[in-house]
Amino acid sequence: MAMKISKAAVIGSGVMGAGIAAHLANAGIPCLLLDIVPASLTPDEEAKGLTTDHPAVRSRLAAAAIARLGQTKPAPLYDEAFAGRITPGNLEDDLAKIKDADWIIEAVVENLAVKRELLRKIEAHWQPGTIVSSNTSGISINAMAEGCGAEFRNHFLGTHFFNPPRYMKLLEIIPGETTDPAIVDGMKSFCERTLGKGVVVAKDTPNFIANRIGTYGLLVTLQAMEGGGFTVEEVDAVTGPAMGRPKSATFRTLDLVGLDTFVHVANNVYDKVEEGAEKLVFETPQVLKDMAARGWIGEKAGQGFYKKVKSSEGGSEIQSLDLTAMAYAESGKISSPSLEAAKAAKGAKEKIKALLGAGAADRYSGLAWAITKKTLLYSAEKLGEIADSIVDIDRAMKWGFSWELGPFETWDAIGLRRTAEQMEAEGEAVPAWVKEWLAAGNESFYRKVEAEGMGAVSFVYQGRYKEDVPPPEHISLRGLKERNKAIRSNSGASLIDIGDGVACLEFHSPNNAIGADILTMIRQSVDEVQANYEALVIAGEGRNFCVGANLMLLLMEAQDEEWDEVDAIIQVFQNTMMKLKHSAKPVVAAPHRMTLGGGVEVCMPADRVVADAETYYGLVEVGVGLIPAGGGCKEMALRLTQADPDPEIDLQPHMNRVFLNIGTAKVSTSAHDAKRLGYLRPADRIVMNADHRIYEAKQSALRLVQAGYEQPQPEKIRVIGADGKAVLKLGARAMRDGGYISDHDLLIAGKLAHVLAGGDLPAGTMVTEQYMLDLEREAFLSLCGEPKTQQRMQYMLSKGKPLRN
């Protein structure tokens, strides 16, 4: 069923409730946020002469939660202005307002009695057809709804958001026994499309899917650690990227989550499962009880398994906890052949195979195997109990715990048959359904199949392979290349046929840094599309869209004083961007995550940008002692002219903001923030679901075709000239005098001001795009020759962060 949700209500303004309300606001959904009425006044309220009957006091908890959204890090809102979409209230005065909501979300304390009582109050104001859900991490949905009416229970389900709701992809939907299946399907679609979530359907069992498997995995890791005498650092060295897991591994993750939270989650399973081996695993280890008793519960307490302390050299160092002595000591470097082999391997599948490949001869390989086999067996044992599909279990672990491979994908990667036999030889009980699957001659849980559209995989489901065809909104460039849809390719980029007359240009150089190979492919792609296709999309599936130009190449040429080569590199970049901008066929860019420097300059010539909401966008060249020279300055100046074509309009205030953003290497905190900063245009689109980004870019391109696309013509730019440049330089000098920037920053700012202002021409002069590009190139070239700029470039390459010299 098509789910229409125009208004929502969240009850409970704690960390999760406020975060959920914020993400609804991110999606453009107005939200009512309610909490209890405070029992007493704050000192500030007393000083103002307020009473507990004052509306501001009665709704204080929700109002304060909304106010905190602007200070919370990482930011829950795409744009702080979105807080205006959330209305505070309280449960005594405002509960009746929930009748106007299409979706009511309960997000109060994890206590069954409290949740039951609240649901009864909600039902008293509930309107037929309204969806009601509980954001619980493990309390039974059916138990919560006991005593509620049949129709209410038909519309009630669990929606477990992972924290923080803006950033964590996973959303577990948990139907109750009588939840209408159409509502489950509708909510799944709505949460994927509108909220950008990765949705899995879980059974109503303790901790559902991700926390059930994840908690078990952490506890068996502690057991293996104790049994083998491993240290905190050794376990984290094994259970991080070497196993396809996040850098936070086991114990840094526990410090981030909080030991108190973890123990609560573990106890939830311990209290609800029957006596036996599973219950023993979920019993809180004594060492965790000891740490909790001392208050060493993690980052929020200042110490947990790790603690930051001042070093003897005046800086700080990270110390790790010796669980035997319960004392902190300096962390050491961990290495072994298996860990080094995993580090050298490419991709999660090869890494874990390399880690496990050394076997018992390498103690770290042995630790990895002990943890992995237990987790794989437990996941297989729980299939059917916590979820019906191995796909939902794998996705829950990838989206909720940031594993690169889910447990069943991992088992396939390391060899299902061989490792199952090894497990049995070691005395482990392999679930019957896995043994039956192998006995039937199958060698893996997943297999690739040829299908129409974007391709598909099959997975084991109730003793047979079931096809899992992705929805049309999921365009996989990797899958298309596997099906020989690449039109042309080189070391840095590929042009791929994504159907319906649209080709997609994908960058795949290291870090997607722009070099000669990518620039060549851009030019070839424009020619190919003009000859044989209707439109071009620029998108990728790497970790980031593009982090800028090939800095190493520029530095080498500058250090060798090959100025003609540097000039040629800039000219090729500029000419390529102009070719892209004046393509006879529409161009749509689809950036995601880090899109910096040259990455932004690749997007700027596009007719439209369709950005992932989590796009961090900025012209950051000042950070390496340079200025944008691939058209970034020119395009920002042109946009001011386009926005205010009236020659009487004063462009100076607008250019001041552009100068400040580029001069401080300002990077947006989201795609919405990029619009606020002027990097994205009003017509550019923002997509909540990253998996839909390429599809939506394709649709935008096709709409431009259908509207009768006309090739862009050269435009003139109105400049602020010499007087405007003086204003910009005055501002930069004030920042230097105030100690905010260095002398070299001031030099760069002067070059930037000269370019943005259009040089020393009179204000209001109309200039060509090429004139502005020439100014960019001249400034860039001169800065490349500055020793301090070369120091900045070298520092960025070696340290990965800017140097302010």
PDB file of all heavy atoms in Angstrom, residues 27 85 106 121 129 165 184 214 230 259 312 328 368 410 416 536 540 566 589 632 653 711 786 790:
ATOM      1  N   ALA A  27      13.480  15.125   6.677  1.00  0.00           N
ATOM      2  CA  ALA A  27      12.729  14.622   5.529  1.00  0.00           C
ATOM      3  C   ALA A  27      11.568  15.535   5.148  1.00  0.00           C
ATOM      4  O   ALA A  27      10.784  15.196   4.253  1.00  0.00           O
ATOM      5  CB  ALA A  27      12.201  13.224   5.837  1.00  0.00           C
ATOM      6  N   ARG A  85      10.666  22.868  12.234  1.00  0.00           N
ATOM      7  CA  ARG A  85       9.611  21.921  11.838  1.00  0.00           C
ATOM      8  C   ARG A  85       9.139  21.061  13.007  1.00  0.00           C
ATOM      9  O   ARG A  85       8.228  20.248  12.852  1.00  0.00           O
ATOM     10  CB  ARG A  85      10.146  21.007  10.724  1.00  0.00           C
ATOM     11  CG  ARG A  85      10.492  21.755   9.445  1.00  0.00           C
ATOM     12  CD  ARG A  85      11.233  20.859   8.440  1.00  0.00           C
ATOM     13  NE  ARG A  85      11.527  21.569   7.208  1.00  0.00           N
ATOM     14  CZ  ARG A  85      12.276  21.103   6.219  1.00  0.00           C
ATOM     15  NH1 ARG A  85      12.840  19.900   6.340  1.00  0.00           N
ATOM     16  NH2 ARG A  85      12.487  21.813   5.129  1.00  0.00           N
ATOM     17  N   GLU A 106       6.350   6.142  19.725  1.00  0.00           N
ATOM     18  CA  GLU A 106       6.633   6.114  21.165  1.00  0.00           C
ATOM     19  C   GLU A 106       8.122   5.862  21.343  1.00  0.00           C
ATOM     20  O   GLU A 106       8.652   4.881  20.806  1.00  0.00           O
ATOM     21  CB  GLU A 106       5.785   5.017  21.827  1.00  0.00           C
ATOM     22  CG  GLU A 106       6.155   4.722  23.256  1.00  0.00           C
ATOM     23  CD  GLU A 106       7.290   3.721  23.382  1.00  0.00           C
ATOM     24  OE1 GLU A 106       7.197   2.621  22.814  1.00  0.00           O
ATOM     25  OE2 GLU A 106       8.286   4.068  24.045  1.00  0.00           O
ATOM     26  N   LYS A 121      -2.888   5.538  26.749  1.00  0.00           N
ATOM     27  CA  LYS A 121      -3.190   6.966  26.619  1.00  0.00           C
ATOM     28  C   LYS A 121      -3.240   7.382  25.154  1.00  0.00           C
ATOM     29  O   LYS A 121      -4.081   8.185  24.743  1.00  0.00           O
ATOM     30  CB  LYS A 121      -2.133   7.790  27.360  1.00  0.00           C
ATOM     31  CG  LYS A 121      -2.182   7.652  28.872  1.00  0.00           C
ATOM     32  CD  LYS A 121      -1.083   8.489  29.529  1.00  0.00           C
ATOM     33  CE  LYS A 121      -1.135   8.369  31.045  1.00  0.00           C
ATOM     34  NZ  LYS A 121      -0.040   9.155  31.692  1.00  0.00           N
ATOM     35  N   GLY A 129      -6.688   4.353  11.260  1.00  0.00           N
ATOM     36  CA  GLY A 129      -5.803   4.512  10.110  1.00  0.00           C
ATOM     37  C   GLY A 129      -4.438   5.069  10.457  1.00  0.00           C
ATOM     38  O   GLY A 129      -3.498   4.945   9.672  1.00  0.00           O
ATOM     39  N   PRO A 165      19.914   8.557  14.647  1.00  0.00           N
ATOM     40  CA  PRO A 165      18.981   8.254  13.554  1.00  0.00           C
ATOM     41  C   PRO A 165      19.353   8.868  12.205  1.00  0.00           C
ATOM     42  O   PRO A 165      19.079   8.270  11.169  1.00  0.00           O
ATOM     43  CB  PRO A 165      17.655   8.820  14.068  1.00  0.00           C
ATOM     44  CG  PRO A 165      17.772   8.744  15.554  1.00  0.00           C
ATOM     45  CD  PRO A 165      19.208   9.060  15.845  1.00  0.00           C
ATOM     46  N   VAL A 184       2.947  -3.047   7.222  1.00  0.00           N
ATOM     47  CA  VAL A 184       4.376  -3.374   7.276  1.00  0.00           C
ATOM     48  C   VAL A 184       5.040  -3.031   5.943  1.00  0.00           C
ATOM     49  O   VAL A 184       6.088  -2.370   5.901  1.00  0.00           O
ATOM     50  CB  VAL A 184       4.588  -4.856   7.624  1.00  0.00           C
ATOM     51  CG1 VAL A 184       6.073  -5.211   7.570  1.00  0.00           C
ATOM     52  CG2 VAL A 184       4.008  -5.179   8.994  1.00  0.00           C
ATOM     53  N   GLY A 214      24.925  -8.978  17.282  1.00  0.00           N
ATOM     54  CA  GLY A 214      26.055  -8.147  17.656  1.00  0.00           C
ATOM     55  C   GLY A 214      26.468  -8.337  19.103  1.00  0.00           C
ATOM     56  O   GLY A 214      27.663  -8.415  19.413  1.00  0.00           O
ATOM     57  N   PHE A 230      44.406 -12.812  25.775  1.00  0.00           N
ATOM     58  CA  PHE A 230      44.676 -11.684  24.885  1.00  0.00           C
ATOM     59  C   PHE A 230      44.423 -10.359  25.598  1.00  0.00           C
ATOM     60  O   PHE A 230      43.620 -10.276  26.528  1.00  0.00           O
ATOM     61  CB  PHE A 230      43.785 -11.764  23.636  1.00  0.00           C
ATOM     62  CG  PHE A 230      44.110 -12.911  22.730  1.00  0.00           C
ATOM     63  CD1 PHE A 230      43.423 -14.114  22.835  1.00  0.00           C
ATOM     64  CD2 PHE A 230      45.109 -12.791  21.780  1.00  0.00           C
ATOM     65  CE1 PHE A 230      43.722 -15.182  22.008  1.00  0.00           C
ATOM     66  CE2 PHE A 230      45.419 -13.857  20.938  1.00  0.00           C
ATOM     67  CZ  PHE A 230      44.723 -15.056  21.051  1.00  0.00           C
ATOM     68  N   LEU A 259      29.256   1.012  28.447  1.00  0.00           N
ATOM     69  CA  LEU A 259      29.173  -0.319  29.056  1.00  0.00           C
ATOM     70  C   LEU A 259      27.823  -0.542  29.718  1.00  0.00           C
ATOM     71  O   LEU A 259      27.289  -1.655  29.700  1.00  0.00           O
ATOM     72  CB  LEU A 259      30.302  -0.471  30.083  1.00  0.00           C
ATOM     73  CG  LEU A 259      30.675  -1.895  30.486  1.00  0.00           C
ATOM     74  CD1 LEU A 259      31.048  -2.720  29.267  1.00  0.00           C
ATOM     75  CD2 LEU A 259      31.834  -1.860  31.475  1.00  0.00           C
ATOM     76  N   SER A 312      53.956  12.722  28.764  1.00  0.00           N
ATOM     77  CA  SER A 312      55.082  13.430  29.363  1.00  0.00           C
ATOM     78  C   SER A 312      55.582  14.561  28.473  1.00  0.00           C
ATOM     79  O   SER A 312      56.240  15.483  28.930  1.00  0.00           O
ATOM     80  CB  SER A 312      56.228  12.457  29.647  1.00  0.00           C
ATOM     81  OG  SER A 312      56.617  11.798  28.446  1.00  0.00           O
ATOM     82  N   TYR A 328      45.559   0.920  33.740  1.00  0.00           N
ATOM     83  CA  TYR A 328      45.793   1.397  32.382  1.00  0.00           C
ATOM     84  C   TYR A 328      47.288   1.472  32.082  1.00  0.00           C
ATOM     85  O   TYR A 328      48.094   1.788  32.965  1.00  0.00           O
ATOM     86  CB  TYR A 328      45.163   2.783  32.187  1.00  0.00           C
ATOM     87  CG  TYR A 328      43.651   2.756  32.194  1.00  0.00           C
ATOM     88  CD1 TYR A 328      42.940   2.949  33.373  1.00  0.00           C
ATOM     89  CD2 TYR A 328      42.929   2.519  31.026  1.00  0.00           C
ATOM     90  CE1 TYR A 328      41.556   2.931  33.389  1.00  0.00           C
ATOM     91  CE2 TYR A 328      41.551   2.494  31.028  1.00  0.00           C
ATOM     92  CZ  TYR A 328      40.869   2.696  32.217  1.00  0.00           C
ATOM     93  OH  TYR A 328      39.493   2.662  32.228  1.00  0.00           O
ATOM     94  N   ALA A 368      40.744 -14.992  15.652  1.00  0.00           N
ATOM     95  CA  ALA A 368      39.743 -14.607  14.652  1.00  0.00           C
ATOM     96  C   ALA A 368      38.830 -15.776  14.311  1.00  0.00           C
ATOM     97  O   ALA A 368      37.611 -15.614  14.171  1.00  0.00           O
ATOM     98  CB  ALA A 368      40.446 -14.095  13.395  1.00  0.00           C
ATOM     99  N   THR A 410      29.979 -13.718   4.976  1.00  0.00           N
ATOM    100  CA  THR A 410      31.299 -14.099   5.488  1.00  0.00           C
ATOM    101  C   THR A 410      31.530 -15.594   5.327  1.00  0.00           C
ATOM    102  O   THR A 410      32.609 -16.032   4.900  1.00  0.00           O
ATOM    103  CB  THR A 410      31.418 -13.716   6.974  1.00  0.00           C
ATOM    104  OG1 THR A 410      31.292 -12.299   7.101  1.00  0.00           O
ATOM    105  CG2 THR A 410      32.756 -14.159   7.557  1.00  0.00           C
ATOM    106  N   LEU A 416      32.098 -22.215   2.561  1.00  0.00           N
ATOM    107  CA  LEU A 416      31.038 -22.781   3.400  1.00  0.00           C
ATOM    108  C   LEU A 416      31.292 -24.251   3.736  1.00  0.00           C
ATOM    109  O   LEU A 416      31.305 -24.648   4.910  1.00  0.00           O
ATOM    110  CB  LEU A 416      29.684 -22.613   2.697  1.00  0.00           C
ATOM    111  CG  LEU A 416      28.493 -23.302   3.343  1.00  0.00           C
ATOM    112  CD1 LEU A 416      28.287 -22.833   4.776  1.00  0.00           C
ATOM    113  CD2 LEU A 416      27.218 -23.070   2.516  1.00  0.00           C
ATOM    114  N   LEU A 536      24.115  12.270 -19.862  1.00  0.00           N
ATOM    115  CA  LEU A 536      25.251  11.779 -19.084  1.00  0.00           C
ATOM    116  C   LEU A 536      25.011  12.025 -17.602  1.00  0.00           C
ATOM    117  O   LEU A 536      24.618  13.122 -17.203  1.00  0.00           O
ATOM    118  CB  LEU A 536      26.538  12.491 -19.515  1.00  0.00           C
ATOM    119  CG  LEU A 536      27.811  12.178 -18.713  1.00  0.00           C
ATOM    120  CD1 LEU A 536      28.232  10.736 -18.911  1.00  0.00           C
ATOM    121  CD2 LEU A 536      28.945  13.136 -19.118  1.00  0.00           C
ATOM    122  N   GLY A 540      29.344   7.717  -8.652  1.00  0.00           N
ATOM    123  CA  GLY A 540      30.224   6.619  -8.281  1.00  0.00           C
ATOM    124  C   GLY A 540      29.700   5.871  -7.085  1.00  0.00           C
ATOM    125  O   GLY A 540      28.727   6.291  -6.442  1.00  0.00           O
ATOM    126  N   VAL A 566      52.826  22.447 -15.023  1.00  0.00           N
ATOM    127  CA  VAL A 566      51.751  22.820 -14.097  1.00  0.00           C
ATOM    128  C   VAL A 566      50.684  23.627 -14.837  1.00  0.00           C
ATOM    129  O   VAL A 566      49.480  23.380 -14.691  1.00  0.00           O
ATOM    130  CB  VAL A 566      52.305  23.620 -12.898  1.00  0.00           C
ATOM    131  CG1 VAL A 566      51.161  24.094 -11.991  1.00  0.00           C
ATOM    132  CG2 VAL A 566      53.283  22.772 -12.094  1.00  0.00           C
ATOM    133  N   ALA A 589      25.155  15.552 -12.285  1.00  0.00           N
ATOM    134  CA  ALA A 589      26.143  15.021 -11.341  1.00  0.00           C
ATOM    135  C   ALA A 589      25.425  14.522 -10.100  1.00  0.00           C
ATOM    136  O   ALA A 589      24.452  15.126  -9.645  1.00  0.00           O
ATOM    137  CB  ALA A 589      27.161  16.091 -10.975  1.00  0.00           C
ATOM    138  N   GLY A 632      36.058  26.729 -10.252  1.00  0.00           N
ATOM    139  CA  GLY A 632      35.270  26.926  -9.041  1.00  0.00           C
ATOM    140  C   GLY A 632      35.018  28.387  -8.729  1.00  0.00           C
ATOM    141  O   GLY A 632      33.889  28.777  -8.407  1.00  0.00           O
ATOM    142  N   PRO A 653      27.910  42.161  -0.975  1.00  0.00           N
ATOM    143  CA  PRO A 653      27.605  41.326   0.195  1.00  0.00           C
ATOM    144  C   PRO A 653      27.599  39.834  -0.130  1.00  0.00           C
ATOM    145  O   PRO A 653      28.047  39.013   0.683  1.00  0.00           O
ATOM    146  CB  PRO A 653      26.213  41.809   0.628  1.00  0.00           C
ATOM    147  CG  PRO A 653      26.085  43.183   0.048  1.00  0.00           C
ATOM    148  CD  PRO A 653      26.843  43.144  -1.233  1.00  0.00           C
ATOM    149  N   GLN A 711      21.515  23.240 -25.655  1.00  0.00           N
ATOM    150  CA  GLN A 711      22.922  23.304 -25.277  1.00  0.00           C
ATOM    151  C   GLN A 711      23.247  24.660 -24.653  1.00  0.00           C
ATOM    152  O   GLN A 711      22.875  25.706 -25.191  1.00  0.00           O
ATOM    153  CB  GLN A 711      23.804  23.084 -26.503  1.00  0.00           C
ATOM    154  CG  GLN A 711      25.290  23.043 -26.202  1.00  0.00           C
ATOM    155  CD  GLN A 711      26.111  22.679 -27.445  1.00  0.00           C
ATOM    156  OE1 GLN A 711      25.578  22.636 -28.552  1.00  0.00           O
ATOM    157  NE2 GLN A 711      27.387  22.415 -27.259  1.00  0.00           N
ATOM    158  N   GLU A 786      55.151  29.005  -4.252  1.00  0.00           N
ATOM    159  CA  GLU A 786      55.426  29.470  -2.894  1.00  0.00           C
ATOM    160  C   GLU A 786      55.895  28.308  -2.011  1.00  0.00           C
ATOM    161  O   GLU A 786      55.218  27.283  -1.925  1.00  0.00           O
ATOM    162  CB  GLU A 786      54.166  30.087  -2.282  1.00  0.00           C
ATOM    163  CG  GLU A 786      53.720  31.374  -2.947  1.00  0.00           C
ATOM    164  CD  GLU A 786      54.636  32.539  -2.601  1.00  0.00           C
ATOM    165  OE1 GLU A 786      55.336  32.467  -1.556  1.00  0.00           O
ATOM    166  OE2 GLU A 786      54.676  33.513  -3.383  1.00  0.00           O
ATOM    167  N   GLN A 790      53.944  24.697  -0.918  1.00  0.00           N
ATOM    168  CA  GLN A 790      54.488  23.352  -1.117  1.00  0.00           C
ATOM    169  C   GLN A 790      54.577  22.595   0.207  1.00  0.00           C
ATOM    170  O   GLN A 790      54.340  21.383   0.254  1.00  0.00           O
ATOM    171  CB  GLN A 790      55.858  23.435  -1.790  1.00  0.00           C
ATOM    172  CG  GLN A 790      55.776  23.957  -3.228  1.00  0.00           C
ATOM    173  CD  GLN A 790      57.115  24.030  -3.923  1.00  0.00           C
ATOM    174  OE1 GLN A 790      58.084  23.394  -3.495  1.00  0.00           O
ATOM    175  NE2 GLN A 790      57.195  24.798  -5.000  1.00  0.00           N
TER     176      GLN A 790
END
